[in-house]
Amino acid sequence: DAGVIQSPRHEVTEMGQEVTLRCKPISGHDYLFWYRQTMMRGLELLIYFNNNVPIDDSGMPEDRFSAKMPNASFSTLKIQPSEPRDSAVYFCASSPTSGRFFFGPGTRLTVL
Amino acid sequence: KQEVTQIPAALSVPEGENLVLNCSFTDSAIYNLQWFRQDPGKGLTSLLLIQSSQREQTSGRLNASLDKSSGRSTLYIAASQPGDSATYLCAVVDAGGTSYGKLTFGQGTILTVHP
């Protein structure tokens, strides 16, 4: 298996633009997670899905953030409009029930 | 709210030393605990997973223990090597409710092993 795949790996955009991050989880994993990592706040859970259904989105910072999982093999995290304080590394992770978490390589987002 | 603390924040040791990284958590009602490794600019790699009913897990030179009642876990690295240099993160999954499946991370221990 190729592991969790994220795209793009790097994204540089200007304030106000829409940003879409993409994730392909490992096949057969029931859970998918979106995390954000910054120096100041460490790793923070944004939202997670179980069997494609959003379970907990309490970590989504504002209405500017939205996430979807239309099927078991694809998820998106969208920021619209983006702001400089959204600059961070965004990780997608997947996990089987009660199992290990597998993280993708991350998307480094810079909002100018 | 679960809080995870890791001590020390940074550690520098000569090659060959055995070392211990510490993790503590405030709510002992956990489902499992995982140790991860993160290399600079990379994603996280799961090293060991300990279920709440287990006391320890071993993988090669790594051994992780769990004392759920006291809210503590340790990661023991034997015969450290320069390639072990990375940030080590501890994370727990709380038991029950909508917390199930959600990892709460510590801030990590930055390990440097010098030749």
Side-chain angles (χ1 to χ4, degrees):
Chain A
D1 200 316
V4 176
I5 299 172
Q6 291 187 247
S7 64
R9 295 293 311 278
H10 302 273
E11 177 81 30
V12 180
T13 190
E14 293 189 349
M15 184 174 63
Q17 296 298 305
E18 178 180 296
V19 175
T20 299
L21 311 182
R22 297 174 176 80
C23 175
K24 176 178 169 57
I26 293 173
S27 177
H29 283 188
D30 303 302
Y31 289 86
L32 183 139
F33 305 82
W34 283 99
Y35 279 87
R36 178 171 69 176
Q37 186 176 39
T38 61
M39 288 293 294
M40 290 296 295
R41 300 172 69 93
L43 276 155
E44 301 174 286
L45 177 68
L46 300 176
I47 185 171
Y48 79 94
F49 297 83
N50 179 215
N51 292 323
N52 312 338
V53 176
I55 301 301
D56 185 349
D57 65 354
S58 59
M60 297 285 261
E62 300 169 34
D63 291 345
R64 299 184 295 107
F65 286 69
S66 63
K68 293 182 180 180
M69 191 166 185
N71 56 62
S73 60
F74 184 66
S75 177
T76 59
L77 177 68
K78 186 175 293 186
I79 308 172
Q80 166 63 20
S82 58
E83 297 183 1
R85 59 193 167 120
D86 301 331
S87 298
V89 181
Y90 291 80
F91 288 106
C92 176
S94 69
S95 172
T97 302
S98 76
R100 284 185 175 186
F101 281 57
F102 293 81
F103 279 73
T107 295
R108 184 173 296 277
L109 173 65
T110 302
V111 183
L112 304 174
Chain B
K1 178 185 172 186
Q2 180 73 269
E3 292 183 3
V4 180
T5 303
Q6 291 187 245
I7 295 173
L11 184 62
S12 180
V13 300
E15 181 176 5
E17 274 204 7
N18 302 323
L19 53 98
V20 175
L21 308 182
N22 296 290
C23 171
S24 62
F25 45 95
T26 54
D27 187 346
S28 62
I30 65 169
Y31 189 76
N32 62 42
L33 181 145
Q34 293 186 63
W35 283 93
F36 293 87
R37 167 185 174 139
Q38 185 174 28
D39 293 286
K42 306 284 188 181
L44 282 71
T45 300
S46 178
L47 298 172
L48 290 164
L49 166 68
I50 310 176
Q51 302 291 353
S52 62
S53 58
Q54 297 174 324
R55 296 283 294 182
E56 66 177 339
Q57 284 287 329
T58 298
S59 176
R61 294 182 294 107
L62 305 179
N63 175 275
S65 67
L66 174 64
D67 184 343
K68 199 173 70 165
S69 60
S70 67
R72 293 179 185 174
S73 176
T74 61
L75 178 66
Y76 175 83
I77 303 177
S80 59
Q81 303 171 357
D84 295 330
S85 299
T87 297
Y88 290 80
L89 294 143
C90 166
V92 299
V93 173
D94 293 336
T98 58
S99 298
Y100 180 78
K102 180 173 108 173
L103 279 172
T104 302
F105 282 89
Q107 288 293 93
T109 293
I110 301 172
L111 173 65
T112 303
V113 181
H114 47 88

